[in-house]
Amino acid sequence: MSARFPDFRLGKVLATSFTGTLSERHGDPVERIPTPARLVDWLAVSGLAVGSATAGHLERARELREAIHEAATAAARGDALPVAAAQVINDFSVRGRASAVLDSAGDRQWRLSAASAVEDALGVIAADAIGILAGERDGKLALCASPTCQAAFFDTSQSRSRRWCDMGTCGNKEKKARFLANQRKGPAAAT
């Protein structure tokens, strides 16, 4: 990965990892796929390798990302699914023509067509979002407790009580902030 761009925040759930390509939505937003080449990079590390992407592909990817984020946020809050967001997700899902195939180790891989690889990859992401939003997977949608992040993530912890989209970033920032606040209070309280 290029040092010019922020690292990807990869989770175990494709759709919510995809929404994490824009982080700190309520602070100073960090765009993790600012160029078509970075979209290609993200798709590759997510098991959806494509040869190239265009500016149009990037725009469409962001449209899908925002629709998934909007729908997942509503679901995590227990609100009604936004109709427009659901329509975008559905449209991407039906356009994709990816095929699930088994590799030699028995793991599922995605076969994307050469002619529409990016559209196929976005279809896989949309289908994953549909599975999550429809409650077909064991877990629950939640929102990051960081006031500047509030990313939607899929909580598969045993207790379903995870608070952070990513412990290595949001969780550590919050813990560090609490620690520093307590350090500042400590000497003042002793005086």
Side-chain angles (χ1 to χ4, degrees):
M1 307 286 161
S2 171
R4 300 180 320 167
F5 300 116
D7 289 337
F8 295 131
R9 296 165 91 181
L10 300 172
K12 295 179 181 174
V13 178
L14 183 64
T16 53
S17 289
F18 188 56
T19 65
T21 61
L22 179 62
S23 58
E24 297 299 314
R25 290 170 183 265
H26 301 279
D28 292 323
V30 177
E31 177 61 72
R32 296 173 190 279
I33 54 169
T35 66
R38 286 297 282 175
L39 174 60
V40 170
D41 292 344
W42 188 89
L43 291 170
V45 298
S46 299
L48 298 166
V50 300
S52 64
T54 66
H57 289 134
L58 179 59
E59 184 177 319
R60 292 186 47 70
R62 288 177 177 167
E63 176 187 13
L64 175 61
R65 174 185 71 191
E66 295 313 303
I68 294 170
H69 177 72
E70 183 180 353
T73 297
R77 290 183 175 145
D79 296 340
L81 197 62
V83 174
Q87 187 62 51
V88 169
I89 296 166
N90 290 339
D91 289 347
F92 274 91
S93 181
V94 298
R95 278 191 212 118
R97 296 178 296 214
S99 300
V101 296
L102 291 172
D103 66 12
S104 60
D107 295 322
R108 181 183 65 184
Q109 301 294 318
W110 291 101
R111 183 174 297 150
L112 311 176
S113 71
S116 61
V118 174
E119 290 296 324
D120 291 350
L122 296 176
V124 169
I125 297 166
D128 189 58
I130 289 169
I132 292 166
L133 292 164
E136 296 173 351
R137 293 176 61 180
D138 187 28
K140 75 169 191 163
L141 282 162
L143 297 177
C144 182
S146 168
T148 59
C149 180
Q150 296 185 1
F153 65 91
F154 196 65
D155 183 2
T156 58
S157 67
Q158 188 172 4
S159 64
R160 305 294 191 262
S161 60
R162 206 172 107 199
R163 296 189 61 210
W164 316 108
C165 65
D166 183 77
M167 193 60 208
T169 53
C170 291
N172 281 344
K173 277 192 231 176
E174 292 297 313
K175 283 184 170 186
K176 182 178 178 182
R178 273 197 315 262
F179 174 78
L180 292 174
N182 288 336
Q183 291 295 310
R184 286 189 294 269
K185 288 180 188 176
T191 330

